[in-house]
Amino acid sequence: MANLQKIGAGSRPDGVVRYRTDRDGTRVGVLPARCKRQLHSLHEAGYKAVAEGGELRVTCTACWDEPNPDHSWHLTLTKPTPARAELDDAPYAGITPHFQQTPVPARTEPPQVSHRHHQQPAPG
């Protein structure tokens, strides 16, 4: 996980996390369904989402070994943090990703957790 913290360090956010309210009134985070480079479906390729310091990084596991260093969405979080998330590109249709120009340190290990479901169950 320490390596993920270096990915995109200092880059500007690509946008703000989108949210919706489900039929039970629960706040649900809506994340992009395609990787930042628009090459892979995160439903199929898998992804890792890490929230830290008011930012959510969504990393495509298929892009992990690619030479392009900036393969993570950098999205600003707003409170309260949702209990679960789902993938949907529609709310992000107007966003143009910002790509980091400075190379990042070499990655030595891939993400350890990949999600292949469009929705994560609420904890507890």
Side-chain angles (χ1 to χ4, degrees), residues 3 30 39 43 52 58 60 75 89 94 115 124:
N3 287 332
V30 180
L39 299 174
H43 290 285
E52 181 177 63
V58 181
C60 172
L75 303 169
D89 277 330
H115 302 279

Side-chain angles (χ1 to χ4, degrees), residues 5-58:
Q5 294 172 1
K6 295 178 185 175
I7 296 172
S11 67
R12 64 185 199 185
D14 295 304
V16 177
V17 173
R18 305 301 202 250
Y19 302 93
R20 72 173 187 83
T21 303
D22 69 11
R23 66 177 181 231
D24 297 325
T26 302
R27 189 175 198 214
V28 178
V30 180
L31 310 179
R34 297 200 64 78
C35 71
K36 185 171 181 173
R37 296 185 313 154
Q38 302 299 302
L39 299 174
H40 308 105
S41 162
L42 298 181
H43 290 285
E44 296 170 12
Y47 67 99
K48 182 168 184 169
V50 177
E52 181 177 63
E55 179 182 79
L56 179 69
R57 288 183 308 279
V58 181

Side-chain angles (χ1 to χ4, degrees), residues 62-112:
C63 290
W64 183 258
D65 290 323
E66 295 291 324
N68 182 327
D70 193 8
H71 52 258
S72 295
W73 284 101
H74 300 269
L75 303 169
T76 303
L77 286 167
T78 58
K79 299 217 180 236
T81 303
R84 67 178 202 268
E86 62 190 29
L87 301 175
D88 184 358
D89 277 330
Y92 297 92
I95 290 182
T96 302
H98 302 287
F99 289 96
Q100 176 178 317
Q101 300 301 314
T102 306
V104 296
R107 294 171 296 278
T108 58
E109 58 186 70
Q112 296 177 357

